[in-house]
């Protein structure tokens, strides 16, 4: 897999998109739900997290298919880490740092695997990664 030289544009774009997507999907929901049996869930519902993930697939695909794998991986990871840190930093226990680390690690691993897969099956924005240029 041949990668293009480091370009700050994909990184910056893929930093800003997760921050905006986090605000749109998860940032507005800050209340925990208390059920009749006394159990507490939330503040996020599964559909919100799924929406966030699906929203991030498009820019990651765009960057990885153009061989900006580093920008796709680091930009998305940094954007999600910044958004989670900002959103969760009002936790007085300090345990939010563990959650931010988990989000950061998971997004790093998943975006790397996804970007590598996308870059290997696409070539210059087109399908057919095994075909060679003439």
């Amino acid at each position: 897999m041949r990668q293009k030289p480091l370009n700050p544009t994909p990184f910056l774009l893929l930093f800003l998109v997760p921050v905006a997507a986090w605000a749109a999907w998860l940032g507005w929901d800050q209340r925990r739900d208390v059920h009749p049996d006394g159990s507490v869930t939330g503040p996020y519902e599964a559909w919100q997290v799924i929406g966030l993930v699906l929203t991030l697939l498009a820019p990651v695909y765009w960057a990885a298919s153009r061989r900006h794998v580093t920008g796709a991986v680091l930009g998305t990871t940094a954007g999600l880490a910044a958004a989670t840190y900002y959103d969760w930093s009002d936790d007085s226990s300090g345990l939010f740092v563990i959650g931010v680390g988990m989000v950061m690690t998971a997004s790093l691993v998943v975006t790397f695997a996804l970007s590598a897969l996308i870059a290997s099956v696409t070539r210059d924005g087109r399908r057919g990664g095994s075909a060679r240029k003439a």
Side-chain angles (χ1 to χ4, degrees), residues 115-131:
S115 296
L117 177 67
I118 291 167
S120 70
V121 298
T122 59
R123 187 191 74 208
D124 297 328
R126 299 182 303 266
R127 287 186 134 291
S130 61

Side-chain angles (χ1 to χ4, degrees), residues 4-127:
K4 287 185 177 181
L6 191 58
N7 180 355
T9 304
F11 174 83
L12 185 60
L13 174 71
L14 285 157
F15 176 83
L16 295 175
V17 168
V19 170
W22 183 279
W25 286 103
L26 305 174
W28 54 270
D29 193 0
Q30 300 297 317
R31 280 194 357 252
R32 296 199 178 272
D33 301 320
V34 180
H35 300 285
D37 63 358
S39 63
V40 179
T41 60
Y44 313 121
E45 299 292 331
W47 64 269
Q48 292 173 285
V49 177
I50 292 167
L52 173 66
V53 170
L54 293 176
T55 302
L56 295 178
L57 284 177
V60 168
Y61 178 84
W62 171 82
S65 66
R66 285 156 181 76
R67 300 292 191 259
H68 297 295
V69 174
T70 304
V73 173
L74 296 181
T76 303
T77 301
L80 282 175
T84 56
Y85 185 89
Y86 179 78
D87 193 21
W88 296 346
S89 63
D90 60 349
D91 177 35
S92 62
S93 72
L95 291 175
F96 74 94
V97 176
I98 307 274
V100 171
M102 291 171 66
V103 167
M104 191 169 59
T105 302
S107 65
L108 182 69
V109 170
V110 170
T111 12
F112 176 76
L114 185 62
S115 296
L117 177 67
I118 291 167
S120 70
V121 298
T122 59
R123 187 191 74 208
D124 297 328
R126 299 182 303 266
R127 287 186 134 291

